[in-house]
Amino acid sequence: MSNRKIVVALGGNAILSSDPSAKAQKAALVETAKHLVKLIKNGDDLIITHGNGPQVGNLLLQNLAADSEKNPAFPLDSLVAMTEGSIGFWLKNALENELVKEGIDKEVASLVTQVIVDKDDAAFENLSKPIGPFYTEEEAKIESEKTGATFKEDAGRGWRKVVASPKPIGIKEIGTIRNLLHSGTIVVAAGGGGIPVFQEADGTLTGVEAVIDKDFASQTLAELVDADLFIVLTGVDYVYINYNKPNQQKLETVTVSELEDYIQQNQFAPGSMLPKVEAAMAFVNHKSDSQAVITSLENLGALIESNSGTIIVKE
């Protein structure tokens, strides 16, 4: 089946190996592009999203290291935009080069994306997303007094700044994304969960110090473009229950209600597989006869050929 609208959410391993240099990240994306082009050759229309956690963390450290009156550190919304731009460029460039090699005449557009969040989201009361370096308790106190930031103790490793992780409620550039898709363009959007913004009563937008979960931003995007398929890529070919135990079992085709039972049993790690599963379930619940897939980048060819991977269906 071709000419499906597919949103593909890239996992962090598609961009970053152990080497955080621009050269190594570009090289990783060259490999990533080879797998993504399989879907394009299959006749599918693609919207690609990506993470930026390590990259935005590194950029934050660079900003803090150079922070001075003459060269002040940038706020988090700007850092998200900068990493969305740089990764978007690398990915667009890798895809364009791969399309040339395959003789496919298609445009690729990379879009810096503003994702609308709700001022009243409980996440702004309960700051939970750690970012940036570790501090001692004393350093965290001084930093907090200086900047007004909130710091929390992180797993016995020190104190870290925490920010809100609100749920996305809309995407400002959705009209542009739909127009690009309609013209046959491959779109890279909502990188790193997008830049979080508040929409004021008069329609104006304001950037906000927060981090949006990329899986939920990708799911929102998939719903808004009315995608036929939502693919969440991660480090494994399948979702497992009893992961890394003797009775480990891979999930092939699984229903939303079965996944709800597994979540009750704490089968999926929070901050890792759980948001991917929840985002996939939310998409399938939103659109009847749609599917979501959780699998690895390397397994995309097998997914096209034989539906390999964890396929989530409504019932």
Side-chain angles (χ1 to χ4, degrees), residues 11 38 60 82 86 88 93 111 121 134 154 159 181 191 195-196 206 292 312:
K38 293 171 187 169
L60 180 67
M82 290 160 82
S86 57
N93 184 258
L111 212 60
D121 192 307
F134 289 93
D154 185 3
W159 291 70
L181 274 178
I195 304 153
T206 314
I312 295 121

Side-chain angles (χ1 to χ4, degrees), residues 93-219:
N93 184 258
L95 281 166
E96 285 167 341
N97 290 345
E98 196 56 35
L99 290 168
V100 167
K101 284 180 197 165
E102 292 288 346
I104 299 169
D105 182 20
K106 261 190 178 292
E107 295 280 322
V108 184
S110 178
L111 212 60
V112 173
T113 314
Q114 299 170 96
V115 175
I116 301 161
V117 296
D118 186 352
K119 274 185 178 174
D120 297 326
D121 192 307
F124 290 106
E125 296 298 313
N126 175 32
L127 306 181
S128 61
K129 182 79 180 171
I131 61 160
F134 289 93
Y135 293 92
T136 64
E137 190 170 358
E138 189 54 37
E139 287 167 339
K141 209 171 169 183
I142 293 164
E143 198 62 29
S144 179
E145 283 165 8
K146 192 170 85 179
T147 62
T150 303
F151 288 80
K152 285 187 181 171
E153 206 269 332
D154 185 3
R157 296 179 295 172
W159 291 70
R160 287 177 86 190
K161 178 178 175 174
V162 285
V163 297
S165 185
K167 283 283 198 316
I169 56 169
I171 293 173
K172 171 63 178 153
E173 292 77 10
I174 198 63
T176 305
I177 293 167
R178 287 182 185 134
N179 290 340
L180 286 165
L181 274 178
H182 186 66
S183 70
T185 303
I186 300 155
V187 183
V188 179
I195 304 153
V197 293
F198 291 144
Q199 188 154 26
E200 309 298 342
D202 63 359
T204 58
L205 301 171
T206 314
V208 57
E209 179 97 340
V211 174
I212 301 169
D213 184 286
K214 73 172 173 62
D215 295 313
F216 292 124
S218 303
Q219 167 232 326

